Amino acid sequence: MSTPLVKQVAHTCIFARDLDAVEAFYRDVLGVSPKFDFKRGEDRIGFYLDFGNRTFVEVFKKGESRFEDTNQINHICFETDDIDGFMANAKARGVSVTDKKLGVDHTWQCWLADPSGVKIEIFQYTPESMQFGPDGGVCQVDW
């Protein structure tokens, strides 16, 4: 097949126990405000976040949500051009974030979680990042 049937990931949908807390996290820590809200009548039940380049995260309230390591979606990864600045902002807002490390794919990364426990990876690509190298490479993991 020469032409892919899909173009790219359009969005990831996550559940939130507290919409306001999750909105504040994405707005204040990641710098992304809702593009629009989902409502059922007058009740706000979710919102849509625009991360640029036709990439979105959809958030819906689900108070009974469980977030465990056995869930099928492990994490969401967002790209930044300034991982150190991102980490400083998160820490200044009281958000726990791991130290940055250079991943086996030669990409800087750090980790945090939103108020519902959704794991978030932050990436800063480098000139050596394997994502932009030739196809067919092998990334040897050390974990």
Side-chain angles (χ1 to χ4, degrees), residues 5-137:
L5 296 176
V6 296
K7 180 177 180 176
Q8 67 185 42
V9 174
H11 72 265
T12 300
C13 178
I14 62 174
F15 291 133
R17 289 186 277 272
D18 181 338
L19 281 179
D20 292 336
V22 172
E23 176 185 345
F25 174 85
Y26 282 88
R27 181 190 61 236
D28 300 340
V29 178
L30 274 62
V32 180
S33 295
K35 182 160 185 74
F36 61 86
D37 288 337
F38 290 101
K39 287 191 171 185
R40 184 176 292 122
E42 291 301 312
D43 293 332
R44 182 176 183 235
I45 62 164
F47 54 88
Y48 220 71
L49 298 165
D50 184 350
F51 284 85
N53 297 317
R54 298 167 54 105
T55 303
F56 302 91
V57 171
E58 184 179 58
V59 181
F60 285 106
K61 183 174 184 171
K62 187 172 182 185
E64 71 278 7
S65 294
R66 293 181 337 209
F67 299 91
E68 302 170 358
D69 287 337
T70 58
N71 289 347
Q72 284 72 23
I73 295 178
N74 182 270
H75 67 276
I76 302 172
C77 181
F78 298 115
E79 179 184 354
T80 184
D81 290 327
D82 181 7
I83 197 166
D84 295 316
F86 175 89
M87 292 170 62
N89 178 65
K91 289 176 183 177
R93 296 179 180 281
V95 174
S96 177
V97 60
T98 67
D99 292 335
K100 76 176 182 183
K101 76 169 202 163
L102 190 62
V104 294
D105 60 355
H106 305 287
T107 302
W108 289 107
Q109 59 181 261
C110 66
W111 292 82
L112 62 158
D114 80 7
S116 292
V118 175
K119 293 185 283 186
I120 298 172
E121 180 180 14
I122 303 298
F123 250 29
Q124 182 176 343
Y125 293 112
T126 69
E128 294 80 30
S129 291
M130 292 185 70
Q131 289 83 348
F132 307 114
D135 291 349

